[in-house]
Amino acid sequence: MRLVWWALLFAAGALPAAQAQQSASPAAAGVALKGLQVAPKLQVHKNIDENDMSTFLVADKIENDQDGRVVLTGKAEVRRIDAIVKGDRIDYQRSTGDVRVRGNGLILRDASLITGPAFDYNVDKETGEISEPDFWLGATGGAGTAARAEMFSRNHMRLTDVSYSGCPCPDPAWYIKSPKVDLHFDENEGIARDGVLYFKDFPILYSPYLSFPVRKERKSGFLLPTYGTSSSGGFEVSVPYYFNLAPNYDLTLIPRYLSKRGLQMGAEFRYLGQDYGGQFYGTYLPNDRAADRKRWYYALQHVHGLGGGLSASLDVRRVSDDDYFRDFSSFGLSESSYTYLPSSAGLSWSGQQYFHASLYAHTYQTLQDKSGSYLLPQYDRLPELYVQGARYNWGGFDLRSDNYATRFVMPKFKYGTHPYPAQASGLQPYQSYDGTRFSSYTTVSYPIMRAGWHVIPKAGLHLSQYSTDWHGFSAPFTPALTPGPRTQSRILPIVSVDSGMTFEREASLFGNAAIQTLEPRLYYLRVPYRDQSQIPVFDTYYADFNFAQAFDENIFSGGWDRIADADQLTIGLTSRWLDEESGFERLSLSAAQRVYFRDQLVTLYPGDTIRTKTKSDYLFAASAALTDKFFVRFDAQYNPESRDRNRMTAGVRWEPKRLASLSLSYRYKRDPRQVIDPQVQTQPGYVDATKEQVSLAGQWPLANKLYAVGRFDYSLAEKRSTQSIFGLEYKGDCCWTARVVMQRYAVSREDVNTAMFFQLELSGLGSIGTDPMRLLRERVAGYQSVTTPIAEKTTFERYE
């Protein structure tokens, strides 16, 4: 965080430029009462010439002498529209512009207040000197003292022996001392020499030279350093430097030293134009001592509006090696679990009311885990053309057409990570087939929506054409003596009817008045059979069976390389209990099942088990807010024949008060191959991909000011902990919070990383140490910061 705590620059009080405040319009203020007129908010008058400002003199006694001097004594005040000067005695020499204030001197301007026993000031030259000033800053809420303040011009002020704190408490927990501070207001720059940060009267940070912004606007200079430690990188520290190059672009250099690996250089460049914007981020380590090689990462994003509904975008991400995120991740699983890095570039057009089109190229960098099984890369799409036409409520009809033309290219095998996946000779360097796919899906529906019920008949036609380079494959890793045909096509009609009703009745839940609903839903789908066994599979997978998919048109997800034949009816039922007064949903129960009228013939790959059951698994879901502080949820996929659960999640969360929450969750997902074919477990070399995990997370007060926070994830399938987080937070009396967070997480099938974060947060200043807040917010459900934010200050904070 930038050293905004040095913003004591506003101590000048009488020198900053006025900030404009927009008046409130009737629209912004809301609907006014009849007969009343909305008045504008307080606002700063700007662009007023000095000669047009009226000056008001107030005192118990006002005297003029023959030399043009005005003497104000007894509660003396000089007021203008932009400033107020007060004192026991004020002498003003009109011919020279000199002002002498003696006794209880005060200057108020732009909500910044400066006081002192005496000061001399020249209103024409805007120079002067204040002895022993105390100041309060309207922009930041900070305050401080100095032995002396010298004003050389409206732009330049120098403070001597400064003590400053952004903490608004009577006894600040932290403050900064510096023997000399120069403030340059037009340049938005302050320069402090030999600055020392004190916490609880103990020095914790020193810098011989500090450059900082004097207003809230951005300013070039060093940012607060961050530091931490991890088992993969050792002790680390980074000292970023920020360059405010222009109002619409900036640059941050981020040198980062890791004791086990060396000095890593990083940079972030951001820019924003009228029709474009983007950012670039990259790191480079010339010689990683632990890995004995150079390591790097870069990410580039750019968007550009070209006019006429045409826009361009670029998103490129690449790393030097598979283990980069495992070795350099700062926030655990959010980065170390990356397996694919996507990149894309292309054009998008939406210049017509009913049409949209795009042309993109997509590539993926696959990050392999050497300790796990080989991960087949995703297909690059080089390129993909998409054209959509849609018009809704056209004489009651909804029409839509989605059209794709995609060239799929499988990346060549990358040596040095795993043995070559296919051992048959003559197949290198290929891993799978390539090809081009043309597809078009056009639908027309006639929604009939009425109060309490709806019926949506829908008919569609799916057209596909493939041109394939098989390279000796008929399926991934499966060499074939006779590859599939070079070109082939497919035409399939798809017909469905979606219907539902909603019934309501008055009821009660836990003794409270409620409205209960009963919502039956029927979805019929008819798709004829087409032999698709010779069609390549580029980006299609078996979809998870859930409530959304149960009412979908295909059991396969992705690019429609397979369209399942269907003659089926999905039956769903939902019942809700809503608070009668607020409408808040207290309880929801849902169930669904498919009924099949014939066997399924289309499978993803030849040899996959064909479904012969007449009914699908049951789907169940329940969620309840048993009280305003206790919540329960549950959903499951259950096989009534084998009495096996194929998928299940459950969780409870309790939030009895602020900064106190506990949650427990359970997740189970059977290997999809077992769901399709239970006998797959007996095949040689089979690796069970079933996932089963328990998670416990929470935040809880241990004492009046001490809080514990953490999360524990345990994989029952792997019989190991995949992530452990434990932290302590101590909320100080005023303006400070200390945190220590330890994290242990899996970065591969065999390796784990342990990291520790420490942070001392000083309200009004920033934080020292690596920031664990993002980690806590992402991983601990219901986490709340113990820090009470300081209220935003305004220009009228000390308005008189």
Side-chain angles (χ1 to χ4, degrees), residues 333 633 645 648-652 663-669 690-698 710-725 744 779:
L333 296 177
R633 59 178 178 82
R645 48 176 188 156
M648 188 174 81
T649 63
V652 295
S663 63
L664 177 65
S665 62
Y666 170 82
R667 291 180 292 276
Y668 174 84
K669 181 180 179 182
T690 298
K691 298 179 181 180
E692 188 174 17
Q693 180 174 288
V694 177
S695 298
L696 174 65
R711 172 169 173 164
F712 179 74
D713 296 339
Y714 186 82
S715 172
L716 299 174
E718 301 178 53
K719 294 181 173 57
R720 66 164 181 164
S721 170
T722 56
Q723 180 178 217
S724 301
I725 299 173
R744 185 178 185 271
R779 305 300 160 81

Side-chain angles (χ1 to χ4, degrees), residues 182-365:
D182 283 279
L183 308 176
H184 302 276
F185 298 99
D186 290 347
E187 292 80 13
N188 187 28
E189 181 181 32
I191 299 173
R193 272 80 172 180
D194 298 320
V196 180
L197 171 63
Y198 287 82
F199 174 68
K200 292 295 183 179
D201 296 325
F202 184 80
I204 61 173
L205 182 67
Y206 165 81
S207 177
Y209 181 92
L210 285 174
S211 176
F212 54 90
V214 296
R215 295 185 299 273
K216 286 189 175 181
E217 289 85 352
R218 299 171 302 174
K219 166 69 178 64
S220 299
F222 283 102
L223 311 183
L224 282 175
T226 64
Y227 56 87
T229 181
S230 66
S231 57
S232 63
F235 175 79
E236 64 177 74
V237 59
S238 64
V239 185
Y241 189 89
Y242 177 78
F243 293 90
N244 184 31
L245 303 177
N248 63 327
Y249 57 92
D250 57 20
L251 170 68
T252 304
L253 297 182
I254 313 171
R256 177 186 179 192
Y257 177 77
L258 300 96
S259 61
K260 290 185 177 182
R261 300 186 178 275
L263 180 62
Q264 179 192 68
M265 295 302 299
E268 181 183 33
F269 177 70
R270 304 182 301 175
Y271 56 94
L272 180 65
Q274 183 175 357
D275 299 314
Y276 63 89
Q279 61 181 355
F280 171 81
Y281 176 79
T283 65
Y284 182 75
L285 180 60
N287 183 28
D288 184 344
R289 293 197 296 263
D292 194 24
R293 64 175 183 268
K294 62 182 178 181
R295 315 289 294 276
W296 49 264
Y297 165 69
Y298 67 86
L300 170 64
Q301 290 89 37
H302 177 83
V303 293
H304 205 128
L306 303 176
L310 186 65
S311 62
S313 67
L314 177 67
D315 187 346
V316 180
R317 309 179 191 196
R318 285 293 184 267
V319 291
S320 57
D321 55 86
D322 294 332
D323 297 322
Y324 178 89
F325 291 114
R326 301 182 184 99
D327 294 339
F328 294 96
S329 174
S330 299
F331 294 99
L333 296 177
S334 61
E335 295 176 350
S336 62
S337 59
Y338 287 169
T339 53
Y340 298 104
L341 278 184
S343 297
S344 64
L347 299 172
S348 180
W349 175 78
S350 57
Q352 293 293 329
Q353 182 177 1
Y354 305 115
F355 295 94
H356 168 78
S358 63
L359 178 64
Y360 271 84
H362 299 268
T363 64
Y364 302 88
Q365 181 180 3

Side-chain angles (χ1 to χ4, degrees), residues 116-156:
F119 61 84
D120 297 328
Y121 184 65
N122 187 285
V123 295
D124 296 332
K125 300 177 181 178
E126 299 186 83
T127 60
E129 181 178 327
I130 305 175
S131 60
E132 300 179 1
D134 296 332
F135 52 87
W136 294 263
L137 309 181
T140 64
T145 63
R148 183 183 179 190
E150 299 176 88
M151 292 169 281
F152 301 110
S153 66
R154 185 180 183 86
N155 176 50
H156 185 197

